[in-house]
Amino acid sequence: FSFDTVVALPKGAVYSHVKVIDERPDKSDFGRMKIKFSIKKLVTADSFSTELAAFGENLVRKINPKADNTLLIVLRQLYVEGNIKGLVSTIYFDADYYLSTPYGGYQLLFTVDKLNEVKTTDVRRDVNLLFSHLFYTVANAKVALPKKDSLYTEVQAANRIADIKKQFPVYNTTNYKVGVYYTLEQFLNNAPGDTLFKEDDHYVKIGNSPHFYYVDKKGWRNGRISEKDFFAVYNGERWFKSTSDGSFGMEKDGDDFYFKAERKSINAYNNSPFMALGYLAGGIVGGAIVDVVDVTVASTVNTMEKDADLTHMDVTEENPKTGKGPKTKIFYLFKIDPINKAFIPAKRLQ
């Protein structure tokens, strides 16, 4: 894979240098794609961070940047699957974008944590679209003046998410407490609401989806606990996350908790889903960008938005163009985002 210019940057960019800190657990490749009858890994000639930084700087060299600032990208995850599961390709991207300031530190522009699905014959073009338009968005942005007490060093920027997670006990232990966790807050604090319950195995097409029951003072079952009434259960061996379709296993991988759930997927995709804010609209959180001027916005048809209600999964997604719900439910791997209290789809499983 090699980066290629897809869009031209506007004159007067707010940065002239690019630095990338690659925090991905596995840096050997950034995905795979099907080419004819074989599956190939997506790799770059040099390290991905080096080539992404060079690509960003090559873009601004073609124009006259108005500021000698450094754009700092902290890349936490990038994983691409091109045509592995039929005609649908996926790009999962998790990163922070910072801009250097006259005060010597960096201000957070925005953070992106999003899975996008595209119908394409060559997902490499869409990867180029993604990064080209993100560079365009930053170059063309109006940036709010930073507060000195809100700036980050490079080390602080690289560790921002990990440092925030230190306040949540469940992310900092393997000694999980057995019990029923009725709310997200109980889960984050490793403090179950009930420690007595009973469990029955219940098998569905993707495995065990157990049923859980209240227990009375004598130890007898006292009614089933509805999936709508609890967030998660830890039975002493593994976690189970409630969804509207049952309770499914949840695992901690690295620094995050993941679980499987069904969502209705829309088999109609915008082939240019990364037009600047069209991509960021469903994945951008916070930051210092206050406006982007002269940007063509092309929203994705299928943006797996985060769920506001974390007690169960919403599976009522509709096609915004037709207003009609799709016919097929797809299993996805979701990540729990404790900071924004959201579910983030990270991988399409079928």
Side-chain angles (χ1 to χ4, degrees), residues 4-237:
D4 187 24
T5 302
V6 179
V7 296
L9 264 63
K11 292 184 178 180
V14 298
Y15 72 92
S16 54
H17 309 286
V18 180
K19 183 170 184 176
V20 179
I21 299 176
D22 192 346
E23 293 291 308
R24 294 176 298 152
D26 183 1
K27 302 178 180 62
S28 60
D29 61 74
F30 64 93
R32 55 192 184 139
M33 69 175 292
K34 189 174 184 179
I35 302 176
K36 293 184 179 179
F37 301 106
S38 61
I39 295 177
K40 304 290 187 181
K41 289 185 177 181
L42 292 170
V43 298
T44 50
D46 204 337
S47 69
F48 188 86
S49 58
T50 298
E51 297 220 359
L52 178 59
F55 176 55
E57 290 190 350
N58 287 337
L59 287 175
V60 294
R61 285 195 188 102
K62 297 178 181 179
I63 60 174
N64 181 27
K66 63 183 180 183
D68 189 31
N69 294 325
T70 296
L71 173 63
L72 174 65
I73 303 172
V74 177
L75 178 61
R76 286 185 293 272
Q77 191 55 269
L78 172 67
Y79 196 76
V80 178
E81 288 193 325
N83 306 116
I84 304 297
K85 303 173 180 71
L87 296 176
V88 179
S89 296
T90 60
I91 303 173
Y92 175 60
F93 181 55
D94 179 10
D96 285 345
Y97 278 65
Y98 297 83
L99 191 67
S100 64
T101 72
Y103 309 118
Y106 290 89
Q107 62 175 320
L108 178 63
L109 296 179
F110 56 81
T111 181
V112 179
D113 190 351
K114 191 176 183 185
L115 176 75
N116 260 279
E117 298 177 309
V118 291
K119 190 174 181 180
T120 180
T121 56
D122 192 339
V123 73
R124 292 171 294 188
R125 175 180 177 274
D126 295 276
V127 174
N128 270 305
L129 275 170
L130 166 62
F131 285 102
S132 292
H133 284 296
L134 285 169
F135 280 124
Y136 182 99
T137 298
V138 176
N140 208 27
K142 293 179 180 178
V143 181
L145 294 175
K147 297 180 180 179
K148 291 183 180 180
D149 59 358
S150 66
L151 300 181
Y152 297 82
T153 65
E154 285 188 11
V155 172
Q156 289 172 332
N159 296 324
R160 186 180 73 88
I161 299 298
D163 287 342
I164 294 176
K165 286 180 179 176
K166 289 178 181 178
Q167 67 183 283
F168 305 121
V170 76
Y171 282 86
N172 299 282
T173 184
T174 56
N175 184 25
Y176 307 122
K177 295 180 181 179
V178 174
V180 180
Y181 296 74
Y182 293 105
T183 65
L184 170 65
E185 286 70 25
Q186 289 178 356
F187 168 74
L188 294 178
N189 288 311
N190 195 27
D194 273 331
T195 57
L196 297 177
F197 64 94
K198 288 190 179 293
E199 173 185 351
D200 272 348
D201 290 339
H202 177 71
Y203 289 92
V204 295
K205 61 184 178 180
I206 66 164
N208 190 17
S209 176
H211 293 168
F212 300 99
Y213 300 85
Y214 298 104
V215 175
D216 62 20
K217 294 180 180 179
K218 295 181 179 180
W220 296 96
R221 296 186 187 191
N222 193 23
R224 185 182 163 203
I225 310 174
S226 170
E227 280 81 6
K228 293 183 179 180
D229 294 331
F230 71 93
F231 181 83
V233 170
Y234 184 67
N235 66 5
E237 296 181 355

Side-chain angles (χ1 to χ4, degrees), residues 292-310:
V292 178
V293 295
D294 299 326
V295 174
T296 302
V297 176
S299 298
T300 42
V301 174
N302 185 25
T303 57
M304 299 289 294
E305 299 293 348
K306 61 189 181 183
D307 291 86
D309 181 0
L310 289 179

